[in-house]
């Protein structure tokens, strides 16, 4: 069980970033942008879009095309759906995986996502900047 | 006055290096004539970076093919760089091993004194599992040379590489997952699974022990895995239902490559540890993490990093097998 007091990935910002991406690449036909990544910062676990480059400190990112959405055409806007509706649908499909991936990406030890055991058993704790999944809110 | 974000004392900055173009791993013919990782497709290192899996089209039927694939990810993904300083690369090309998911050694890992009953079988992660892919990815030469012998504190490059490297290790794990899915297989990453946990330093899935089963190497006195690319690196694994040829282990015993464990020779890792965590009996993890908490975390508090690598650097096994083990391995 993950404690309710830990920080986790902010779903609204993920949906907003994906929706914005869909808006961009479905304008003037379907032109997926393979440079775009979903970047998440450790401080509040919010996500936004940027182009891939060397990582900044305290962020992790995921390529939208291929890594988050592995199938070609996943990000094409279907007839009759708005970009926000399709984003919500796409995020719903990957949410469980992405939530766990992001939790581990911000975990500094090999104790898994359960901070309780870690605190009880290990002197090597920080509760700090990087140990985001487990950092106190 | 010490600047708040100044590197800890003793940190030596590596020379700024020009980023190299990497060879094309994507051509089915193995052509390396293109000047970037993606052949005709734009890539990192001067061109647009992109995720490697969708465009990767070389065969991945065995450990060698998977090794080529992961080497391409290491060479081309922009996340394989330290975020600070000269953005030196974190890792070099990995080693890949494959184990049959029903290898009897997986049962042995559950015995007390090996890992213990907390360790689970491949089928736990993926019912119907057929193969376990394990890899060892060595730290780059830039990171290893930053580790100055005799200094009590590890360099910034190492502590950053430890944490940022593990983030990139997750990229490697997920790249393998996506590649296997692209091939139509099912796959699970145990160490990125919600069910994963560890208690009292005993994990539900030990990357090092799985690497031993998959033929990557044997353990050393310092508890790290000794591979042909050394011991200074990180490990990862993926469980899949794809049938892949297992790698024949070129060893039998768990400590076969360690000169101290086999002939009481070497012991360099004992001398290297500044707090005596490595003893003739092995490594005491509690002493090791106490050192990290008391000395290394405070030294790097502004950076938010921690971790020590004295028992992985500047040793005869840091970036290769110890000489005797290498000779014995060659003769097999």
């Amino acid at each position: 069980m993950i404690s309710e007091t830990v920080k986790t990935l902010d779903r609204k910002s993920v949906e907003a970033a994906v929706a914005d991406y869909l808006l961009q690449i479905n304008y003037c036909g379907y032109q997926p942008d393979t440079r775009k990544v979903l970047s998440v910062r450790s401080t509040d676990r919010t996500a936004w879009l940027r182009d891939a480059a060397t990582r900044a400190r305290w962020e992790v990112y995921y390529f939208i095309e291929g890594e988050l959405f592995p199938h070609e055409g996943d990000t094409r806007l279907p007839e009759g759906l708005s970009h926000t509706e399709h984003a919500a649908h796409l995020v719903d499909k990957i949410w469980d995986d992405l939530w766990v991936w992001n939790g581990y990406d911000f975990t500094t030890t090999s104790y898994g996502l359960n901070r309780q055991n870690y605190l009880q058993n290990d002197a090597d704790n920080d509760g700090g900047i990087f140990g985001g999944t487990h950092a106190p809110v | 006055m010490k600047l708040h974000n100044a590197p800890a004392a003793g940190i030596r900055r590596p020379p700024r290096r020009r980023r190299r173009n990497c060879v094309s791993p994507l051509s089915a013919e193995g052509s390396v004539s293109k000047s970037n990782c993606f052949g005709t497709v734009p890539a990192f290192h001067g061109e647009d970076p992109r995720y490697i899996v969708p465009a990767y089209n070389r065969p991945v039927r065995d450990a060698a093919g998977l090794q080529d694939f992961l080497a391409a990810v290491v060479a081309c993904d922009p996340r394989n760089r330290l975020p600070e300083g000269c953005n030196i690369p974190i890792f070099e090309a990995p080693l890949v091993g494959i184990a049959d998911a029903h290898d009897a050694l997986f049962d042995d890992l559950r015995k007390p004194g090996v890992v213990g009953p907390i360790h689970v079988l491949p089928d736990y992660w993926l019912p119907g599992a057929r193969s376990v892919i394990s890899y060892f990815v060595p730290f780059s030469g830039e990171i290893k040379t930053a580790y100055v012998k005799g200094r009590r504190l590890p360099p910034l490059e190492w502590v950053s590489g430890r944490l940022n490297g593990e983030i990139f290790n997750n990229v490697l794990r997920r790249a393998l997952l996506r590649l296997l899915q692209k091939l139509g297989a099912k796959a699970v990453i145990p160490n990125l699974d919600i069910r994963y946990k560890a208690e009292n330093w005993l994990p539900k899935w030990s990357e090092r022990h799985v690497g031993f089963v998959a033929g990557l190497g044997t353990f050393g006195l310092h508890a790290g895995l000794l591979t042909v690319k050394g011991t200074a690196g990180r490990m990862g694994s993926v469980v899949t239902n794809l049938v892949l040829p297992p790698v024949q282990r070129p060893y039998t015993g768990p400590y076969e490559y360690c000169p101290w464990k086999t002939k009481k020779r070497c012991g360099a890792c004992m001398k290297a540890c500044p707090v005596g965590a490595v003893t003739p009996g092995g490594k005491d993890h509690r002493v090791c993490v106490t050192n990290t908490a008391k000395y290394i975390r405070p030294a790097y508090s502004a950076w938010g990093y921690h971790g020590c690598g004295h028992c992985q650097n500047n040793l005869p096994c840091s970036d290769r097998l110890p000489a005797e083990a290498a000779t014995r391995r060659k003769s097999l």
Side-chain angles (χ1 to χ4, degrees):
Chain A
M1 282 294 292
I2 304 297
S3 164
E4 290 176 4
T5 61
V6 300
K7 277 189 234 173
T8 61
L9 184 60
D10 178 68
R11 183 162 182 159
K12 278 186 183 171
S13 64
V14 173
E15 286 184 5
V18 173
D20 193 40
Y21 175 74
L22 296 182
L23 195 63
Q24 293 173 37
I25 61 149
N26 284 284
Y27 174 70
C28 287
Y30 177 59
Q31 298 180 74
D33 185 347
T34 52
R35 299 166 302 174
K36 286 288 183 292
V37 300
L38 182 86
S39 170
V40 181
R41 62 184 185 189
S42 68
T43 48
D44 58 4
R45 301 304 167 84
T46 53
W48 72 100
L49 277 186
R50 77 168 176 97
D51 283 349
T54 303
R55 275 183 43 242
R57 278 163 47 78
W58 319 130
E59 75 152 357
V60 295
Y61 71 70
Y62 313 91
F63 281 93
I64 292 187
E65 298 290 346
E67 189 170 19
L68 285 185
F69 304 115
H71 303 297
E72 203 176 326
D74 271 348
T75 51
R76 183 190 294 273
L77 202 56
E79 287 274 332
L81 273 189
S82 72
H83 63 289
T84 51
E85 288 168 334
H86 191 43
H89 172 67
L90 285 178
V91 172
D92 198 49
K93 283 204 293 190
I94 62 163
W95 180 253
D96 289 349
D97 284 340
L98 180 59
W99 186 88
V100 173
W101 290 354
N102 186 252
Y104 279 110
D105 280 348
F106 282 123
T107 298
T108 57
T109 73
S110 54
Y111 266 77
L113 295 177
N114 191 337
R115 181 69 161 181
Q116 291 303 310
N117 285 343
Y118 176 68
L119 279 176
Q120 286 159 9
N121 296 329
D122 194 348
D124 182 30
N125 72 80
D126 57 4
I129 311 166
F130 210 93
T133 298
H134 314 306
V137 173
Chain B
M1 191 179 87
K2 190 181 174 188
L3 293 173
H4 184 61
N5 63 348
I11 291 174
R12 186 168 52 88
R13 284 191 186 281
R16 190 174 284 273
R17 289 180 186 219
R18 195 165 162 239
R19 287 180 181 159
R20 287 171 297 175
N21 284 335
C22 40
V23 298
S24 169
L26 299 181
S27 156
E29 304 80 45
S31 163
V32 292
S33 60
K34 303 293 183 188
S35 62
N36 65 47
C37 298
F38 295 90
T40 56
V41 184
F44 190 52
H45 305 301
E47 294 181 61
D48 290 337
R50 57 182 292 177
Y51 197 53
I52 196 168
V53 176
Y56 194 83
N57 58 11
R58 292 186 69 179
V60 283
R61 301 182 200 100
D62 54 17
L66 289 163
Q67 197 162 288
D68 284 348
F69 167 70
L70 286 180
V73 182
V74 164
C76 297
D77 196 294
R79 290 166 284 189
N80 184 29
R81 296 261 167 191
L82 294 188
E84 55 272 307
C86 310
N87 305 127
I88 59 173
I90 304 174
F91 294 119
E92 290 174 356
L95 279 177
V96 171
I98 297 173
D100 186 318
H102 300 106
D103 193 308
L105 281 183
F106 283 116
D107 292 309
D108 291 348
L109 301 187
R110 293 172 55 77
K111 292 177 183 169
V114 183
V115 179
I118 190 174
H119 206 275
V120 295
L121 299 174
D123 265 331
Y124 171 88
W125 303 109
L126 180 66
R130 300 295 300 272
S131 310
V132 179
I133 302 162
S134 173
Y135 63 84
F136 170 83
V137 59
F139 280 112
S140 67
E142 286 90 335
I143 285 188
K144 282 187 276 203
T145 54
Y147 217 112
V148 179
K149 199 171 184 177
R151 293 216 168 112
R152 190 183 177 97
L153 279 179
L156 176 71
E157 286 81 1
W158 179 266
V159 291
S160 174
R162 161 72 180 78
L163 266 70
N164 292 302
E166 195 52 26
I167 290 173
F168 184 70
N169 194 11
N170 289 342
V171 170
L172 289 175
R173 290 171 168 127
R174 291 194 297 266
L176 264 182
L177 173 83
R178 287 297 188 224
L179 181 75
L180 292 163
Q181 288 172 337
K182 187 177 147 186
L183 296 173
K186 289 181 183 171
V188 171
I189 308 165
N191 281 53
L192 294 184
D193 191 289
I194 190 74
R195 295 169 291 173
Y196 174 83
K197 65 174 184 176
E199 291 174 359
N200 295 317
W201 290 284
L202 298 177
K204 202 168 189 175
W205 185 254
S206 166
E207 298 286 23
R208 289 174 304 129
H209 287 78
V210 169
F212 173 79
V213 178
L216 289 179
T218 80
F219 294 92
L221 176 64
H222 48 47
L225 204 69
L226 305 183
T227 76
V228 294
K229 292 202 173 192
T231 192
R234 306 294 296 173
M235 300 191 69
S237 63
V238 173
V239 179
T240 178
N241 66 351
L242 191 66
V243 179
L244 294 163
V247 169
Q248 296 300 309
R249 288 183 287 272
Y251 45 79
T252 51
Y255 292 101
E256 202 166 301
Y257 291 163
C258 179
W260 179 267
K261 284 287 193 177
T262 51
K263 293 180 178 171
K264 293 284 182 261
R265 287 211 281 258
C266 187
C269 51
M270 281 189 288
K271 296 170 200 154
C273 179
V275 292
V278 185
T279 67
K283 183 179 177 185
D284 186 332
H285 294 293
R286 193 163 287 275
V287 174
C288 180
V289 298
T290 302
N291 175 51
T292 304
K294 277 190 175 173
Y295 301 107
I296 299 170
R297 278 183 192 279
Y300 287 102
S301 62
W303 293 90
Y305 295 148
H306 66 88
C308 181
H310 281 72
C311 66
Q312 290 185 25
N313 286 282
N314 300 307
L315 306 174
C317 59
S318 290
D319 55 3
R320 69 199 72 180
L321 284 178
E324 281 181 39
T327 308
R328 196 165 56 243
R329 192 173 186 277
K330 272 184 192 167
S331 68
L332 286 175

